[in-house]
Amino acid sequence: MESHLVGVVGVKPLYRVNEAGQLADKIFQIWVEAPHVARHALAGQFLVIRIDEHGERIPLTVSAVSGDLVRIIFMAVGKTTHQLSTLKAGDLIRDVAGPLGRPSEIGKHGTCVVVGGGAGIASCPIIARAARDAGNRVIGIIGARNAGYLILEDEMREACDDLLIATDDGSRGYHGFAADVLKGVIAERKVDCVWIIGPAIMMKVTSEVTRPKGIRTFVSLNPIMVDGTGMCGSCRVRVGGETKFACVDGPEFDAHQVDFDLLMQRQRTYFDEEKASLERYHEHLCRCGEGGHHG
Amino acid sequence: MSTCAGAGKAVTMGERPAWERIRDFSEVDCGLSAEEAVAEAERCLQCKKPSCVRGCPVEIDIPAFIARIAEGDFSGAARIIKEDNLLPAVCGRVCPQEVQCEGACLLGAKEKPVRIGELERFVADHERKQGLVIPSVAEPTGKRVAVVGSGPAGLTAAAELARAGHMVTVFESLHEPGGVLMYGIPSFRLPKDVVQAEIDQLRGMGVEILTNHLAGASIPVAELYAYDAVFIGTGAGLPFFMNIPGEQLNGVYSANEFLTRVNLMHADRFPEYDTPVRHAGRVTVVGGGNVAMDAARVARRFGARVTLVYRRREEDLPARRAEVIRAREEGIEFELCANPVRILGTNFVTGVECVRMEMCDIDESGRPEPSPVAGSNFVIDADMVIQAIGQGPNPLLIRKMEGISYGRKGNIVVDEEGRSSLEKVFAAGDVATGAATVILAMGGAKKAARAIDRMLREEEQGR
């Protein structure tokens, strides 16, 4: 029997926001219903979201899962993250793809240190927990510009055997960088494996601490991505002199092999466009009176 | 849709002039009018043993549908085509007809071959305007088939299997189905509403399409194996880079990235759409295939002066003939018998250093093997470089499928009917053949789908 194609429209998947809130200055969390991601995601993996039909695809770490829900944590820095920060429970996200990337190499290493900086702390509890479940002793170090930017302190305390805190301005914990705290830890005891996750410059500086001792150190790289499945090479990075695609070969790599300067250079590719897009978004918000500026 | 209809050319449609079309992304070729289609159809000799059919990888009954056009029965023509091909509006536009159906047409020897591609397209466009007729499907068999990838191979396999009464689920990692039809081929060659409409037919046939699902991750392989059969049509989406100095500079793109940003993410309409793309004054595109032509012509539409660098000669260009001609008309400059050796710049690209190539011994494909001429280096100014030198199969899923045989280039090894080394797992299209054409992927997928159908029916009888 033949029928005419009337009223058959593309089935548009939508992903419901279950919970949304602010964790710290400019840092937000969203729990989104995405069973295909939540059921299979492992520590270190990420997802790609697109908010609506006009949206861009952006990568975000899977920072926790619970049943069919996935948690993402992000800092509102550009247009998309600002828009994401306005979502409330019940809102819909057009696309959530994942889990993407290779999971963290969790083995029985011995003593592990998990270092998080700024919004990068979002990735830490899931790795710390996985490392501890694998039989490691886990020390957590979380650092931020000031106390107002610190997130997930309780969760990290629960996931780690020890937790150390640093702020650049001394408003909370150690007065200084996470790198200084890490230096202290490896001076005191034998450390077998380190994860460092945060802004590129923080990962670059902090991983220098472990280089002299040859301690195995992983960083989770954050280059510009489009598809996140290895089909474009936008996220290409240099590791050990070779070109790698962070979305499929990573995002975690041996910190001591990574060309961080190149990573930072490529992160700035769309600096002007990103600025213009954010300004346009804020202007639009003001005109519509839907809300004010964030941060 | 296309601006053609509004251009006031009701009778003779044809192509929009280059000066006009390079200002937008609307379709270049406006297709045939009904009168033109009938006149063209009347040229067909209605051969008893039609060689054109053998030239078509999905073996459409070409004389039969052309006869219907000549009679003015356009819907009847559409019905005939859709028995063999559910994507005629796509194939009529993107097939390299000069080496397939039209290349085999007897009239080609004396005068011009019948424009089979344009006729196929005319029929498909006509049907779409009337409302697409969803093909009938057989009684449900109760068998479930997983199709991985929704490009031309996956869509064809899904259509054939749904038609045979099987329950089909398609897993697509991107947010839109269509594969290269959506992210690769620009809208001035293949309008996206045309692709969407043909995909919606599948949904009408009961095919479930799950976007945002990366097989091997969102759907672990063990879950794929739980289906009665698995068809893999994941394509060849892994871009090759040249591995020359300077490739990591800002402004160096793979064609896949550049085209995905524009075609799938609509970066041409930034900031209305959020995805940016670099706009450059001088663009160098490396390669000579369809992907290179597409990238060059997209960059041209952003107002750039575009140079296409290809290491062989004009006659070796693998791109569809019509698109090479159109690229030239649109002002793309061709730097033939040349090859980049280095990309220049600090942070951002400023130029491409190339070397002249001379043609030496004939290689396996019958083409001369290019080799560099010492001391012939020269520089092309460029603030953007797009590499379109080919793609390989994405290893992501394949390396998770233990025991599957794959070749040196990462392609899944299959027999004539698409069977892989794993039981119940079939593959076709670029993932099996390496980067080829839309229609070859569809031809392979059709064979594989028929083999799957036979397997599932024999299984049922054996019970």
Side-chain angles (χ1 to χ4, degrees):
Chain A
M1 209 187 74
E2 284 185 343
S3 58
H4 274 273
L5 192 69
V6 178
V8 177
V9 287
V11 181
K12 303 285 184 193
L14 291 166
Y15 302 89
R16 186 175 295 276
V17 173
N18 187 271
E19 194 188 316
Q22 187 159 6
L23 292 179
D25 277 1
K26 294 187 184 178
I27 303 179
F28 300 81
Q29 72 166 354
I30 284 176
W31 284 92
V32 58
E33 209 176 310
H36 62 303
V37 182
R39 289 176 195 168
H40 308 295
L42 296 168
Q45 290 189 297
F46 65 97
L47 48 74
V48 162
I49 66 145
R50 189 174 70 125
I51 301 176
D52 57 32
E53 288 294 335
H54 286 236
E56 62 179 337
R57 296 170 64 95
I58 65 161
L60 290 162
T61 304
V62 172
S63 84
V65 293
S66 170
D68 285 347
L69 302 176
V70 188
R71 182 179 67 185
I72 50 174
I73 293 178
F74 53 92
M75 184 181 272
V77 285
K79 193 258 169 176
T80 298
T81 43
H82 272 97
Q83 189 186 350
L84 205 53
S85 73
T86 65
L87 297 187
K88 301 175 295 292
D91 286 346
L92 298 170
I93 295 176
R94 176 65 181 74
D95 296 291
V96 179
L100 303 171
R102 284 173 184 263
S104 302
E105 279 180 49
I106 307 281
K108 193 157 168 24
H109 303 285
T111 298
C112 299
V113 183
V114 180
V115 187
I121 302 170
S123 311
C124 293
I126 195 169
I127 294 174
R129 222 173 286 130
R132 201 150 75 152
D133 289 348
N136 297 287
R137 178 179 170 75
V138 179
I139 299 163
I141 302 173
I142 55 173
R145 201 182 305 169
N146 62 52
Y149 283 95
L150 272 178
I151 57 167
L152 304 184
E153 189 183 326
D154 294 343
E155 227 170 281
M156 276 298 275
R157 206 174 290 288
E158 221 175 278
C160 302
D161 294 289
D162 283 305
L163 179 69
L164 303 161
I165 295 168
T167 49
D168 298 1
D169 67 353
S171 54
R172 182 101 169 77
Y174 174 83
H175 186 171
F177 296 131
D180 305 325
V181 179
L182 177 62
K183 210 177 282 178
V185 170
I186 63 174
E188 274 173 30
R189 59 187 122 186
K190 184 174 173 295
V191 169
D192 302 285
C193 187
V194 175
W195 273 271
I196 304 169
I197 302 160
I201 186 68
M202 174 267 184
M203 292 193 285
K204 179 187 174 175
V205 170
T206 312
S207 62
E208 283 310 310
V209 173
T210 57
R211 191 193 293 273
K213 291 202 172 183
I215 300 170
R216 187 142 196 224
T217 305
F218 297 106
V219 282
S220 181
L221 303 187
N222 48 355
I224 297 171
M225 288 188 189
V226 184
D227 61 290
T229 61
M231 60 168 263
C232 84
S234 166
C235 67
R236 62 193 189 275
V237 290
R238 295 287 281 179
V239 182
E242 278 179 49
T243 297
K244 301 276 183 191
F245 290 2
C247 70
V248 289
D249 300 319
E252 287 185 9
F253 292 100
D254 177 349
H256 301 140
Q257 302 286 321
V258 170
D259 184 341
F260 284 105
D261 293 334
L262 178 63
L263 173 69
M264 289 185 271
Q265 170 208 306
R266 287 185 57 82
Q267 283 175 338
R268 287 190 295 268
T269 302
Y270 300 105
F271 184 80
D272 294 339
E273 288 85 353
E274 284 161 5
K275 210 174 127 203
S277 182
L278 181 61
E279 277 167 11
R280 183 178 178 271
Y281 176 70
H282 281 322
E283 268 170 32
H284 184 74
L285 275 189
C286 294
R287 263 205 319 276
C288 296
E290 286 174 3
H293 292 263
H294 292 280
Chain B
M1 258 195 60
S2 147
T3 61
C4 296
K9 289 172 279 182
V11 181
T12 304
M13 297 170 93
E15 287 187 15
R16 296 157 63 216
W19 61 266
E20 179 197 306
R21 69 196 194 219
I22 61 167
R23 297 174 182 193
D24 60 50
F25 284 79
S26 301
E27 199 164 15
V28 165
D29 179 354
C30 300
L32 303 175
S33 65
E35 292 80 357
E36 286 171 326
V38 171
E40 185 66 18
E42 284 169 348
R43 293 181 58 231
C44 176
L45 301 174
Q46 293 291 320
C47 303
K48 284 275 177 300
K49 288 182 180 170
S51 48
C52 55
V53 176
R54 270 174 282 143
C56 171
V58 295
E59 296 178 334
I60 293 171
D61 190 346
I62 293 166
F65 94 75
I66 290 184
R68 295 291 167 88
I69 297 176
E71 290 161 13
D73 177 11
F74 305 144
S75 307
R79 218 167 14 244
I80 291 169
I81 295 173
K82 281 166 70 175
E83 277 172 24
D84 295 298
N85 181 0
L86 217 59
L87 306 173
V90 171
C91 291
R93 287 171 165 87
V94 305
C95 277
Q97 288 95 359
E98 68 267 25
V99 294
Q100 295 177 341
C101 55
E102 293 178 19
C105 174
L106 285 189
L107 279 181
K110 286 186 184 165
E111 34 176 327
K112 279 190 169 173
V114 175
R115 293 164 73 192
I116 302 166
E118 286 284 0
L119 290 175
E120 179 186 26
R121 172 194 160 166
F122 166 78
V123 167
D125 288 353
H126 183 270
E127 192 202 358
R128 198 173 58 257
K129 279 177 208 133
Q130 313 287 311
L132 289 179
V133 176
I134 299 172
S136 52
V137 298
E139 281 293 301
T141 61
K143 299 282 183 181
R144 296 162 67 237
V145 184
V147 170
V148 183
S150 67
L155 293 175
T156 302
E160 293 293 325
L161 291 163
R163 228 195 292 241
H166 308 300
M167 261 172 69
V168 182
T169 303
V170 180
F171 298 104
E172 168 56 49
S173 65
L174 287 172
H175 57 262
E176 293 284 2
V180 75
L181 308 177
M182 288 305 287
Y183 75 75
I185 304 175
S187 52
F188 55 76
R189 204 148 78 79
L190 181 62
K192 297 309 153 210
D193 51 350
V194 169
V195 182
Q196 300 276 14
E198 294 198 334
I199 291 173
D200 279 344
Q201 291 179 102
L202 287 187
R203 294 191 168 111
M205 292 163 74
V207 172
E208 179 186 31
I209 303 178
L210 295 177
T211 52
N212 297 316
H213 279 63
L214 181 66
S218 320
I219 296 289
V221 283
E223 284 181 28
L224 284 180
Y225 295 155
Y227 284 77
D228 296 303
V230 181
F231 174 87
I232 302 179
T234 48
L238 180 78
F240 295 149
F241 285 88
M242 300 187 74
N243 292 315
I244 57 174
E247 221 158 44
Q248 53 300 75
L249 289 169
N250 296 0
V252 181
Y253 287 83
S254 72
N256 269 9
E257 179 187 353
F258 180 67
L259 292 172
T260 299
R261 283 179 180 272
V262 178
N263 298 336
L264 184 70
M265 307 308 299
H266 310 293
D268 54 310
R269 288 161 72 184
F270 178 87
E272 184 196 339
Y273 283 79
D274 293 335
T275 303
V277 72
R278 197 164 151 69
H279 285 230
R282 292 229 35 177
V283 175
T284 295
V285 177
V286 186
N290 285 318
V291 179
M293 296 304 145
D294 287 344
R297 295 171 70 197
V298 168
R300 185 78 184 113
R301 280 160 173 73
F302 288 142
R305 184 174 163 193
V306 182
T307 307
L308 187 137
V309 178
Y310 179 56
R311 63 199 184 116
R312 298 179 196 256
R313 305 162 304 171
E314 169 95 25
E315 56 265 47
D316 302 317
L317 286 166
R320 194 173 184 254
R321 196 68 213 141
E323 310 308 338
V324 174
I325 294 167
R326 288 172 183 155
R328 282 197 185 282
E329 287 170 358
E330 288 168 11
I332 312 292
E333 294 162 32
F334 284 61
E335 194 67 73
L336 298 165
C337 299
N339 206 29
V341 291
R342 193 153 58 111
I343 300 170
L344 310 168
T346 47
N347 296 344
F348 278 92
V349 175
T350 58
V352 185
E353 185 181 325
C354 298
V355 63
R356 293 266 165 232
M357 305 295 276
E358 63 181 351
M359 303 300 129
C360 304
D361 301 337
I362 304 296
D363 71 5
E364 286 168 5
S365 66
R367 297 184 300 180
E369 189 59 46
S371 79
V373 178
S376 65
N377 294 33
F378 64 101
V379 172
I380 302 172
D381 292 336
D383 34 24
M384 184 163 159
V385 177
I386 303 170
Q387 303 204 28
I389 55 161
Q391 296 111 240
N394 191 325
L396 215 64
L397 171 64
I398 301 168
R399 71 184 167 206
K400 286 182 177 153
M401 303 184 78
E402 218 174 301
I404 198 161
S405 333
Y406 51 89
R408 199 167 45 86
K409 289 176 178 164
N411 54 303
I412 297 179
V413 176
V414 293
D415 70 8
E416 287 231 316
E417 295 191 299
R419 271 178 212 88
S420 77
S421 59
L422 293 181
E423 215 195 326
K424 295 185 180 184
V425 177
F426 293 69
D430 286 2
V431 73
T433 58
T437 61
V438 167
I439 190 70
L440 283 175
M442 291 171 59
K446 200 168 159 178
K447 277 190 190 148
R450 287 183 176 164
I452 292 172
D453 180 47
R454 263 198 316 279
M455 178 187 82
L456 296 177
R457 285 179 195 285
E458 279 162 19
E459 219 171 75
E460 196 57 30
Q461 284 164 3
R463 235 171 235 176

